[in-house]
Each structure stands twice: as structure tokens, then as C-alpha cells.
Amino acid sequence: MSKLVKLTSITVVSSVLAASYYYYFVDRDGFYYNNSQWRRVGSKVQGIIDGSEDIKPSTPCSTKKVTIVTRPMSETMKDLWNEQIRNTAEWIYSWGK
């Protein structure tokens, strides 16, 4: 009986994988693959390597002065801790609603 269960489970898993492969790649002519971000990046890189696509120059950085405020890590951790406590209290309070 255990051999039958193993064979059935392997058959079910392989059938699910085959069906997902079919619907993902074959049924829609690779719609999801061809429109995926990985495919676009790969095609762009291949075009740059082949020389059929130009590299656009990046926009120049601004030279304006910007004030950057830094905080100690302990203050940031306190804020994160307090936010978690507030979220937990709100979640517990939502049980009574």
C-alpha cells in the first residue's frame, strides 16, 4: 500500500508541475515570462552587449546644499519599539470591538 501512496504522490506533484509549466510558458506564449522584469533586464543587457541598444546618460546630480539630520541608533530603535507596542496594543484592543 505504501508503494501505491508514494507513486500517487509523485504522480500528483509531477502533474501539478507540468500543468503550471504549461499554463505559465506554453498556453499564453510565455506572456508572463516575456513581460517579466527579469526578461526586460536580460534583453536590455543583451542589447547593450550586442551594440544594438544605446546606454542613456544618467541625469546630472544637483549641486544644491541639503541638510541631513542624523539620529543616534538608540533613538531609532526606541521609535521602532514604540511603534510595535502601539500596533500590538491596537491589535489587542481590536478584539473587544
Side-chain angles (χ1 to χ4, degrees):
M1 184 66 175
S2 67
K3 289 184 180 183
L4 181 63
V5 171
K6 288 179 186 178
L7 180 64
T8 304
S9 65
I10 290 172
T11 304
V12 167
V13 169
S14 61
S15 298
V16 167
L17 287 175
S20 65
Y21 174 81
Y22 173 77
Y23 285 115
Y24 191 76
F25 290 106
V26 178
D27 185 43
R28 296 189 178 178
D29 296 324
F31 174 78
Y32 294 113
Y33 174 70
N34 290 330
N35 292 327
S36 68
Q37 187 69 24
W38 284 106
R39 173 73 171 151
R40 282 189 236 143
V41 169
S43 298
K44 187 166 184 81
V45 169
Q46 190 62 44
I48 291 171
I49 291 171
D50 294 341
S52 62
E53 190 164 337
D54 294 330
I55 301 174
K56 296 178 182 176
S58 63
T59 58
C61 297
S62 109
T63 56
K64 295 179 185 176
K65 291 187 177 183
V66 178
T67 304
I68 299 175
V69 179
T70 59
R71 298 178 63 199
M73 185 59 94
S74 60
E75 289 294 320
T76 304
M77 290 310 216
K78 284 182 196 175
D79 289 343
L80 291 172
W81 174 259
N82 289 335
E83 181 183 358
Q84 290 301 315
I85 295 296
R86 281 192 297 273
N87 288 342
T88 304
E90 183 180 331
W91 178 66
I92 291 172
Y93 179 72
S94 71
W95 288 352
K97 291 182 179 180

